[in-house]
């Protein structure tokens, strides 16, 4: 079983440029190198559970929540299950690792929450 | 039959063949030509006197211009369903350009549908002229009517021969057709074997916790045409851009991999197309791996990248991110390659220790994966093969099905199953579960090799095997030396580290399945979660139990109840024999001083029957590797599945049987006990059983043993409430007060701390009272001992452990704190004064808070009886702050 380090439900499709902009990072700068890795780990190398369920596992498992529970041992709330994407992250770079004092996990989460709000507003 | 009848019936067969070929071609089954080539060989050989007629494509793939040829009569045939002039002209051209006139003087074009009424095209006439051999469109372009017209020239014997060939071929085809219409029922019957596994509780779906990694690997193996898209997804994620960007900064040439060429490929329609597509993808991945490996941390023994002088500094600046990035890509590629290899594997082997869930794994696949994807499959519980004669047990098992095809040879069956797989474009899977359960393993080893070798000759047949590791390594490991081993994929650790959540879920599922609604203490739950066999035994004896509370798990009691239940499962006339058989095994093991296995030699038929039944359930007894050699034929080896249950049964035998019949033997056994491998376990259960039955002889032998006190401390958790007495209380208090051995004090202190049930004589109250009776210096010393560990090298480690204990208390919600009980809370008050400031203050506040809500008062009163000044100070801090509030 892949152990989940983070589960990120999102109602929008992640976009690298938007992510950098929200973190106030210039493209092609040092920050973009550092946080490019963060973006990859959260949204490229992670599992998009909703997509993988629909494409591969809906034949075997009756519901998305059962699939996530059986496969990853995680219980997801109904609200989160409705998100467009549910990213399950199994590996974190040092910059996001809560075991390190100078990690930027909170800053990244704050930025994602802001982006999520903006996208939800745009949708309504 | 007379000549006319032979001709009429043969004509009818050929007419039917043409009709079927037309229908097949219309449905897009163009491979019908290939099938027809072989069909016509014996008929044309007879009609055209070419006894050595062979399919040329079998000699050389895609042999040009002619499909069939006879080198001795120099006659050749091209078989085609396309009757057009263009096709004939093309064939003639190929014949000429490949110089086939060197081998053949005659060329016939056999149109397996119907030939045209005329062949007058200029193109064809030109090719006829250019052909170095004689060719006439009227004579050499033939169809089935030309063949039937030749029948009248044949003798009765020759006609009989032709008719025989046609009859056999169509009979085979008809059998296949009949079988296909019955296929669903045939496979349903096979699936019904899963129900047998459920009834015998070898497979309990509701308690199965998925082994996700193995199940995922199976998806690529069993359903490649669906799951190849996951491989595409993984390839899509391989991105060399960042690595190339870094290489550019380090002034190293970019990697020109062709990875983009294997992305966004068109969808394969068939497994054959998929195979070639995956082969191409694998080649590019391996090529890419070779290109990047010099930059990785792990160059895999290959050459590492060395910069030249001019770029040394640039390389050094970017070396680390380049190596890290390359390592990541390298791992991604390795994962994809292993997924591709899984799609191409033909044998999926699962080995593991007993009780790891191999049968559950396979049955779950059939019920939830193969059935969902309609993957044609057959399930064979290997122990059922014992009911069939060697050396064709697997074939005999499959054919022992009312709806089985009427074939007599293994290859006929496999050919048929392969054709079903081709029709469905899904592999046909044969699973043989528990090959270690087949008797006469040596014989079966040879049979299995022949079977696997045969299966691997077919494109779309696959096999799943499961086996206990030790059996596989001893008896079947030779499989790895067989040519087909390159198609084998092995999983050695099926149940790799199960998460805490999975264990909890499994405990819940077990309770639900066995309708148990007992409440468990945390200790008891943890005990069962960590021991799968004990969990199974516990659930079987507690099936249907409700409204009870289990504070502790007493293994001895559980084993006794379980054996009683198992014995009652036998018919009344056999029940006494069951116990006697188990005694006989115990006696045999003690006599041979071999506790890992015992042979059935010397057991009576009725006992062997009982043993076989217990082995079949795989909980009390299990089969072991048999000895080799003529003298061991018909003799099985067995052992106890669970070592602790073995120790319990041996102890039970000694106390209930041997001690009555031969006291001297028992005394001798105790003398040599310290040197026996069962020492610890045997002592544990014989002491507990002796306590229960007040068996003075055994109790005396136990208590006079030189290491009795050590055993006593180790086995305190096994003394249930009914057995505990005042002598135990005195013994425990004596250890706490006078023992010079820190480890003994720690063991006893923490054992009674965990006992919260005041109904038991040995409970946490003894610890609290003991601490209350210690003056300050002794109290501090005592706490230092019980909170220390022999591995401590830093001073003050014991205080940090006190901090840890208080920290875990503070994390609990109030209701859980209260539920710990007065003695546990009093203990925390006794130790809080020795903790660091933070924990001390927080704990004081916590108790003040609890006290203000009307809780914790009994605990405070208990601790206030302490002689220690530190404890008294803690109590006054709490009561003072409560008063201030």
């Amino acid at each position: 079983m892949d152990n989940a380090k983070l589960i990120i439900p999102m109602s929008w499709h992640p976009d690298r440029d938007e992510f950098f902009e929200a973190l106030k990072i210039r493209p092609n700068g040092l920050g973009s190198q550092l946080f490019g890795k963060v973006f990859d780990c959260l949204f490229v190398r992670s599992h998009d559970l909703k997509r993988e369920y629909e494409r591969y596992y809906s034949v075997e498992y009756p519901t998305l929540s059962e699939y996530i529970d059986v496969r990853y041992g995680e219980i997801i709330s109904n609200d989160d299950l409705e998100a467009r994407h549910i990213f399950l992250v199994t590996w974190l770079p040092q910059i996001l690792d809560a075991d390190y004092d100078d990690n930027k996990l909170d800053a990244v989460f704050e930025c994602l929450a802001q982006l999520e709000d903006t996208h939800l507003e745009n949708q309504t | 039959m007379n000549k006319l009848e032979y001709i009429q019936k043969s004509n009818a067969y050929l007419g039917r063949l043409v009709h079927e070929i037309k229908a097949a071609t219309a449905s897009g089954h163009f491979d019908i030509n290939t099938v027809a080539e072989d069909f016509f060989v014996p008929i044309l050989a007879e009609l055209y006197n070419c006894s050595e007629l062979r399919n040329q494509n079998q000699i050389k793939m895609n042999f040009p211009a002619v499909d069939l040829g006879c080198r001795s009569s120099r006659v050749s045939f091209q078989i085609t369903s396309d009757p057009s002039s263009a096709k004939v002209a093309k064939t003639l051209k190929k014949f000429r350009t490949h110089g086939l006139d060197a081998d053949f003087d005659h060329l016939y074009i056999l149109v397996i549908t119907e030939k045209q009424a005329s062949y007058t095209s200029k193109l064809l006439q030109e090719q006829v002229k250019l052909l170095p051999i004689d060719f006439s469109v009227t004579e050499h372009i033939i169809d089935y009517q030309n063949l039937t017209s030749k029948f009248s020239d044949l003798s009765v014997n020759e006609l009989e021969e032709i008719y025989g060939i046609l009859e056999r071929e169509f009979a085979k085809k008809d059998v296949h057709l009949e079988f296909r219409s019955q296929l669903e029922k045939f496979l349903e019957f096979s699936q019904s074997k899963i129900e047998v596994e459920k009834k015998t509780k070898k497979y309990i779906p509701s308690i199965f916790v998925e082994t996700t990694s193995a199940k995922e690997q199976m998806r690529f193996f069993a359903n490649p045409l669906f799951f190849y898209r996951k491989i595409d997804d993984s390839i899509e994620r391989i991105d060399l851009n960042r690595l190339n960007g870094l290489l550019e900064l380090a002034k190293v040439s970019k990697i020109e991999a062709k990875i983009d060429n294997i992305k966004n490929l068109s969808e394969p329609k068939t497994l054959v197309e998929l195979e070639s597509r995956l082969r191409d993808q694998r080649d590019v991945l391996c090529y890419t791996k070779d290109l990047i490996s010099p930059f990785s941390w792990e160059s895999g023994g290959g050459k590492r990248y060395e910069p030249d002088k001019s770029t040394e500094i640039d390389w050094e600046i970017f070396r680390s991110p380049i190596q890290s990035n390359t390592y990541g890509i390298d791992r991604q590629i390795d994962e994809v390659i292993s997924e591709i290899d899984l799609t191409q594997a033909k044998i999926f082997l699962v080995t593991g220790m007993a009780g790891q869930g191999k049968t559950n794994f396979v049955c779950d696949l059939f019920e939830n994966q193969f059935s969902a994807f309609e993957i044609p499959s057959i399930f064979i519980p290997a122990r059922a093969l014992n009911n069939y004669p060697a050396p064709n047990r697997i074939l005999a098992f499959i054919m022992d099905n009312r709806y089985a095809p009427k074939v007599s040879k293994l290859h006929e069956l496999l050919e048929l199953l392969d054709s079903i797989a081709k029709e469905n474009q899904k592999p046909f899977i044969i699973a043989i579960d528990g090959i270690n359960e087949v008797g006469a393993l040596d014989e079966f080893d040879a049979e299995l090799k022949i079977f696997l070798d045969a299966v691997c000759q077919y494109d779309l047949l696959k096999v799943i095997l499961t086996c206990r590791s030790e059996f596989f390594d001893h008896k079947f490991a030779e499989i790895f030396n067989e040519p087909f081993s390159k198609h084998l994929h092995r999983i050695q650790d099926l149940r790799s580290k199960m998460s805490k959540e999975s264990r909890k879920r499994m405990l819940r599922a077990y309770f639900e399945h066995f309708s148990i609604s007992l409440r468990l203490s945390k200790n008891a739950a943890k005990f069962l979660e960590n021991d799968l066999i004990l969990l199974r035994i516990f659930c079987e004896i507690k099936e249907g139990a409700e409204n009870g509370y289990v504070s502790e798990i007493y293994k001895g009691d559980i084993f006794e109840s379980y054996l009683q239940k198992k014995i009652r499962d036998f018919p009344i006339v056999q029940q006494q024999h069951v116990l006697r058989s188990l005694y006989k095994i115990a006696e045999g093991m003690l006599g041979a001083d071999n506790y890992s296995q015992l042979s059935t030699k010397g057991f009576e038929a009725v006992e062997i029957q009982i043993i076989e039944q217990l082995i079949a359930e795989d909980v009390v007894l299990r089969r072991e590797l048999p000895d080799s050699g003529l003298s061991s034929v018909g003799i099985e080896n067995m052992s106890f599945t669970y070592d602790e249950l073995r120790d319990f049964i041996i102890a039970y035998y000694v106390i209930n049987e041997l001690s009555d019949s031969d006291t001297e033997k028992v005394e001798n056994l105790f003398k040599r006990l310290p040197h026996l491998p069962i020492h610890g376990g045997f002592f544990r259960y014989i002491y507990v059983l002796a306590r229960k039955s007040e068996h003075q002889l055994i109790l005396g032998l136990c208590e006079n043993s030189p290491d009795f006190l050590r055993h006593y401390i180790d086995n305190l958790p096994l003394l249930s409430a009914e057995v505990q007495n005042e002598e135990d209380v005195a013994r425990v208090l004596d250890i706490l007060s006078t023992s010079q051995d820190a480890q003994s004090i720690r063991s006893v202190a923490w054992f009674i701390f965990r006992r919260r049930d005041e109904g038991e004589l040995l409970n946490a109250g003894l610890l609290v009272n003991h601490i209350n009776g210690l003056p300050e210096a002794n109290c501090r010393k005592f706490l230092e001992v019980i909170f220390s560990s022999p591995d401590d090298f830093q001073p003050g480690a014991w205080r940090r452990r006190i901090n840890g204990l208080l920290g875990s208390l503070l994390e609990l919600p109030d209701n859980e704190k209260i539920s710990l009980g007065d003695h546990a809370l009093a203990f925390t008050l006794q130790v809080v004064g020795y903790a660091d400031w933070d924990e001390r203050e927080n704990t004081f506040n916590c108790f003040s808070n609890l006290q203000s809500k009307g809780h914790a008062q009994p605990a405070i009163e208990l601790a206030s009886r302490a002689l220690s000044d530190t404890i008294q100070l803690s109590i006054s801090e709490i009561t003072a702050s409560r008063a201030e509030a």
Side-chain angles (χ1 to χ4, degrees), chain A residues 1-3 33 37 40 44-46 51-52 55-57 59-61 69-74, chain B residues 210 212 215-216 219 226-227 229-230 233 237 242 249 324 368-369 372-373 499 501-502 505:
Chain A
M1 188 178 289
D2 288 329
N3 289 323
Q33 281 198 19
K37 218 175 188 179
D40 287 345
V44 180
R45 296 186 63 184
S46 58
R51 180 180 182 272
E52 76 176 22
R55 263 172 81 79
Y56 305 115
Y57 300 104
V59 183
E60 288 175 68
Y61 301 89
D69 181 16
V70 172
R71 182 91 194 267
Y72 298 101
E74 298 289 336
Chain B
E210 269 198 25
T212 49
K215 202 167 177 181
E216 182 71 355
R219 292 185 178 103
F226 186 84
F227 284 100
R229 297 174 305 145
K230 282 205 85 177
D233 282 354
R237 278 202 283 256
R242 185 169 145 70
L249 291 171
S324 153
N368 298 316
Q369 197 179 91
F373 285 105
S499 68
E501 287 70 26
S502 297
R505 188 183 307 135

Side-chain angles (χ1 to χ4, degrees), chain A residues 60-71:
Chain A
E60 288 175 68
Y61 301 89
T63 62
L64 173 63
S65 88
E66 189 175 326
Y67 166 66
I68 297 174
D69 181 16
V70 172
R71 182 91 194 267

Side-chain angles (χ1 to χ4, degrees), chain B residues 247-470:
Chain B
L247 288 173
E248 201 177 355
L249 291 171
K251 298 196 178 139
V252 180
S253 309
K254 279 184 179 182
I255 286 168
E256 301 287 348
K258 299 167 187 165
I259 210 101
D260 288 339
N261 297 354
I262 55 167
K263 293 179 178 176
N264 301 315
L265 299 177
S266 59
E267 283 182 19
K269 296 278 183 298
T270 63
L271 282 164
V272 175
E273 277 180 39
L274 175 66
E275 189 187 339
S276 121
R277 185 184 195 268
L278 289 171
R279 206 183 306 123
D280 293 345
Q281 286 178 317
R282 195 183 192 284
D283 288 346
V284 170
L285 290 169
C286 290
Y287 171 73
T288 310
K289 202 172 148 63
D290 287 345
L291 288 181
I292 65 168
S293 69
F295 304 108
S296 177
W297 278 321
E298 294 175 351
S299 61
K303 206 177 154 193
R304 277 183 175 276
Y305 172 75
E306 292 292 341
D308 57 33
K309 285 263 176 220
S310 64
T311 59
E312 233 171 310
I313 295 170
D314 303 288
W315 168 250
E316 208 43 50
I317 293 170
F318 294 99
R319 184 175 55 85
S320 177
I322 287 173
Q323 287 180 333
S324 153
N325 202 282
T326 311
Y327 177 72
I329 296 171
D330 198 39
R331 284 192 55 184
Q332 272 180 292
I333 292 177
D334 282 344
E335 275 172 32
V336 185
I337 289 175
S338 69
E339 287 167 357
I340 291 176
D341 291 345
L342 267 167
T343 66
Q344 303 306 305
K346 294 176 86 63
I347 304 166
F348 195 102
L349 169 67
V350 181
T351 57
M353 302 302 286
Q356 270 203 334
K358 297 182 288 296
T359 297
N360 276 290
F361 171 70
V362 177
C363 292
D364 172 67
L365 286 177
F366 271 73
E367 284 216 316
N368 298 316
Q369 197 179 91
F370 296 171
S371 67
F373 285 105
E374 295 180 334
I375 294 169
S377 42
I378 295 174
F379 174 74
I380 305 176
R383 66 181 183 286
L385 297 177
N386 292 320
N387 304 329
Y388 298 89
N392 285 313
R393 282 171 279 202
I394 300 170
L395 177 65
F397 176 91
I398 296 172
M399 300 307 293
D400 188 11
N401 177 331
R402 184 182 153 197
Y403 304 103
K406 290 175 182 55
V407 295
S408 55
K409 290 183 185 148
L410 180 61
H411 276 285
E412 287 174 353
L413 174 73
L414 297 182
E415 200 176 316
L416 188 54
L417 301 183
D418 192 52
S419 67
I420 290 165
K422 277 196 181 105
E423 267 177 27
N424 290 298
Q425 285 304 312
K426 285 168 193 163
F428 196 111
I429 292 180
I430 302 169
I432 312 178
D433 177 43
I435 55 173
N436 50 282
E437 292 182 44
V438 181
L441 282 177
D442 287 325
E443 223 173 50
F444 184 64
D445 178 36
E447 187 182 334
L448 186 66
K449 277 182 200 159
I450 293 169
F451 176 74
L452 295 177
D453 187 41
V455 166
C456 290
Q457 293 174 41
Y458 294 85
D459 293 338
L460 303 183
L461 298 187
K462 296 196 174 196
V463 175
I464 299 171
L465 296 175
T466 73
C467 187
R468 266 179 40 206
S469 326
E470 65 274 30

Side-chain angles (χ1 to χ4, degrees), chain A residues 46-99:
Chain A
S46 58
H47 301 268
D48 183 347
L49 299 182
K50 203 152 193 176
R51 180 180 182 272
E52 76 176 22
Y53 173 72
E54 281 161 8
R55 263 172 81 79
Y56 305 115
Y57 300 104
S58 53
V59 183
E60 288 175 68
Y61 301 89
T63 62
L64 173 63
S65 88
E66 189 175 326
Y67 166 66
I68 297 174
D69 181 16
V70 172
R71 182 91 194 267
Y72 298 101
E74 298 289 336
I75 309 285
I76 308 265
S77 73
N78 286 340
D79 282 354
D80 287 346
L81 286 170
E82 281 173 25
R84 194 169 147 202
H85 303 277
I86 303 169
F87 293 99
L88 180 131
V89 183
T90 54
W91 170 85
L92 289 174
Q94 192 175 320
I95 196 167
L96 291 187
D97 196 331
D99 289 342

Side-chain angles (χ1 to χ4, degrees), chain B residues 13 89 113 157 190 193 261 405 454 671:
Chain B
Y13 272 137
T113 49
N157 286 348
S190 164
K193 301 290 174 194
N261 297 354
K671 275 183 202 153

Side-chain angles (χ1 to χ4, degrees), chain B residues 534 537-538 541 553-563:
Chain B
L534 191 70
I537 292 174
F538 179 86
I541 59 170
I553 300 290
Y554 295 106
K555 282 188 183 176
D557 294 348
I558 290 176
F559 291 151
E560 192 166 358
S561 305
Y562 182 70
L563 288 172

